[in-house]
Amino acid sequence: MTLVFDGDRLLAAADVARTALVEDGQRPGRHLESTPEGEWAVAHYFEADLPGYRGWQWCVVVAGAPGHDEITVSEIVLLPGEDSLLAPNWVPWNERIAAGDLTPGDMLAAEPDDHRLVPNQIDTADEFRFDDDTADPDDIGQIAGEIGLGRRRLLSPEGREEAAQRWHDGDFGPHSDMATAAPFNCATCGFYVPLAGALRPAFGVCANEYSADGHVVAAGYGCGAHSDVAAPRGQGSPAYDAFDDGVVEIVAVTADSGGDAVS
């Protein structure tokens, strides 16, 4: 003979579930619903009035067994409802961090397998050579650094390409509003300091304190503070003739019989 447990007793055991919540230190609200969770278990849902958990519900699972009248509490859990206030999906820190997030005192370690870096013994092709292969002391010094003197890891070709693309597309690239409005580009400016290595033909640093001072700029970038910009000539505004506001016009005024002034 198979004993069948009376499931109605589990569905009606809201008081048992509420008591379990109270004994757990919670303050459940009104009972919302009872849902069968299997042949011998029922979940009871209660409103949860907790700060920061709008729309969440307490769920208490009660259970029984054939041949036993005792009702036991299997689980107490806080669950979100349909209109619950939920936190955004968790994203690892290394995917959340963005440019400008680093502040004084912060430490940001590059991953061991960071594709932007390679061990120092790898040839990164970062040296810049002139077409006639003439040796330059600065180039020789840079090559010495690239083969491992002083740095454990170097910028990889992929890292260099990504940086170049960001700079090219950024505020100091050749297609920015400032560059398109400028009559000259940085490659011909006396304030332009070219970078060393493979990026030298395309990028440099601006040394003009009144312009993009200290920023990496594309050779095709430009601004109105180019070293070849000519100063305006003549007096007054370059767009309008000077106005002499020192001339005074004297007007004679007489009074008629009606008391009105007549010039």
Side-chain angles (χ1 to χ4, degrees), residues 39-189:
E39 189 176 1
W40 311 110
V42 170
H44 291 272
Y45 293 88
F46 300 85
E47 289 181 343
D49 185 15
L50 295 174
Y53 287 85
R54 185 186 69 200
W56 287 58
Q57 304 170 358
W58 286 112
C59 175
V60 181
V61 179
V62 297
H68 298 275
D69 293 334
E70 182 180 1
I71 296 177
T72 60
V73 176
S74 299
E75 185 178 17
I76 297 177
V77 64
L78 186 63
L79 298 176
E82 294 182 358
D83 300 324
S84 298
L85 179 64
L86 300 176
N89 293 331
W90 182 80
V91 179
W93 71 268
N94 57 344
E95 297 179 17
R96 296 196 309 268
I97 192 168
D101 288 348
L102 196 66
T103 60
D106 289 344
M107 305 295 289
L108 179 61
E111 296 292 337
D113 58 349
D114 194 324
H115 71 280
R116 300 171 301 171
L117 298 168
V118 293
N120 60 5
Q121 70 268 20
I122 294 179
D123 182 10
T124 64
D126 192 37
E127 68 273 10
F128 172 74
R129 296 182 180 275
F130 295 99
D131 293 337
D132 56 2
D133 278 341
T134 57
D136 182 272
D138 291 337
D139 292 334
I140 294 175
Q142 182 191 358
I143 295 172
E146 297 304 331
I147 62 176
L149 299 180
R151 291 186 285 172
R152 296 176 57 187
R153 291 197 285 179
L154 307 174
L155 192 64
S156 67
E158 292 82 2
R160 186 169 62 244
E161 291 173 4
E162 289 180 7
Q165 192 65 54
R166 286 196 309 273
W167 299 342
H168 180 274
D169 298 338
D171 293 338
F172 303 102
H175 303 302
S176 64
D177 292 341
M178 181 72 79
T180 55
F184 308 106
N185 58 43
C186 290
T188 60
C189 182

